């Protein structure tokens, strides 16, 4: 046990001095506001980081958010609640710069600022029979842009947990070193 812990600490300290943060598969779940309708929605994300430069990674990503609600509509004093479902699937690339050295973080911690750029595929479906205004939310461009601030804690050499705060969808999840 002491040998493996010593080897992990030595290898992890090399991570900090070399600036290598790539090779992580990040699986996240969270909540946020669907950027299209401005409604609270669940969110799932997947990305894989690879090193581009010292302390800088790029990560292709895909996400999925879903939101369901009802909308009251009718005419001549005959109103009914109709359900609708919104789905958003952002796809793109996330860049992150790690501030571990600057902050003097230990080998088990990573701290970063980042931005995501991509496209969001959006779909909205309504219950049959609804013929009212179908623009419940804001009309937005399919361009996906989000800023991030986050941290990752390494439980061991292979597994860690992360928290990613964003103006769109904030996630918490599992990070697996590949």
């Amino acid at each position: 046990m002491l040998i493996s812990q010593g080897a992990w600490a030595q290898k992890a300290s090399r991570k900090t001095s070399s600036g290598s943060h790539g090779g992580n598969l990040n699986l996240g779940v969270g909540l946020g506001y669907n950027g299209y309708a401005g409604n609270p929605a669940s969110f799932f994300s997947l990305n894989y980081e690879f090193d581009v430069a010292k302390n800088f990674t790029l990560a292709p990503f895909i996400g999925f958010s879903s939101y369901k609600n009802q909308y009251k509509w009718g005419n001549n004093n005959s109103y009914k609640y109709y359900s609708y479902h919104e789905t958003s699937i952002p796809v793109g690339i996330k860049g992150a710069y790690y501030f571990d050295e600057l902050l003097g973080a230990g080998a088990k911690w990573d701290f970063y600022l980042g931005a995501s750029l991509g496209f969001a595929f959006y779909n909205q479906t309504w219950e049959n029979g609804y013929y009212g205004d179908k623009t419940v939310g804001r009309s937005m461009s399919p361009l996906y842009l989000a800023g991030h601030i986050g941290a990752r804690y390494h439980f061991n050499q292979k597994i860690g947990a992360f928290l990613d705060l964003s103006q769109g969808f904030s996630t918490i999840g599992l990070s697996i070193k590949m």
Side-chain angles (χ1 to χ4, degrees):
M1 182 69 160
L2 286 175
I3 294 171
S4 68
Q5 287 293 348
W8 158 240
Q10 188 176 28
K11 186 170 184 174
S13 66
R14 275 190 238 125
K15 182 241 357 158
T16 302
S17 62
S18 71
S20 174
H21 294 89
N24 289 302
L25 177 66
N26 300 304
L27 308 161
V29 62
L31 290 174
Y33 282 92
N34 183 322
Y36 291 89
N39 297 312
S42 57
F43 187 69
F44 302 94
S45 67
L46 171 73
N47 73 55
Y48 181 77
E49 291 181 276
F50 57 92
D51 290 315
V52 175
K54 183 178 179 183
N55 297 322
F56 185 73
T57 63
L58 288 178
F61 72 86
I62 186 166
F64 175 83
S65 74
S66 179
Y67 175 75
K68 293 180 181 181
N69 203 349
Q70 292 188 339
Y71 189 74
K72 187 176 178 181
W73 178 77
N75 53 22
N76 299 331
N77 297 326
S78 173
Y79 291 95
K80 177 183 172 186
Y81 283 95
Y82 290 88
S83 62
Y84 67 94
H85 182 223
E86 299 172 6
T87 303
S88 178
I89 302 173
V91 177
I93 190 122
K94 176 181 177 180
Y97 185 82
Y98 287 84
F99 291 92
D100 304 357
E101 291 178 48
L102 180 67
L103 297 174
K108 290 195 171 225
W109 285 98
D110 293 331
F111 297 97
Y112 63 88
L113 286 175
S116 294
L117 176 64
F119 292 96
F121 301 95
Y122 174 70
N123 185 37
Q124 186 179 72
T125 57
W126 285 86
E127 180 180 344
N128 286 336
Y130 178 78
Y131 299 106
D133 181 13
K134 293 186 178 181
T135 56
V136 204
R138 299 176 286 181
S139 172
M140 293 185 69
S141 160
L143 181 65
Y144 181 83
L145 181 62
H148 307 270
I149 183 169
R152 177 170 43 221
Y153 179 79
H154 301 274
F155 297 116
N156 58 41
Q157 221 172 342
K158 292 280 186 187
I159 305 291
F162 70 89
L163 174 64
D164 188 283
L165 301 175
S166 174
Q167 83 270 23
F169 295 100
S170 295
T171 55
I172 187 167
L174 186 64
S175 186
I176 304 165
K177 189 74 163 177
M178 304 304 275

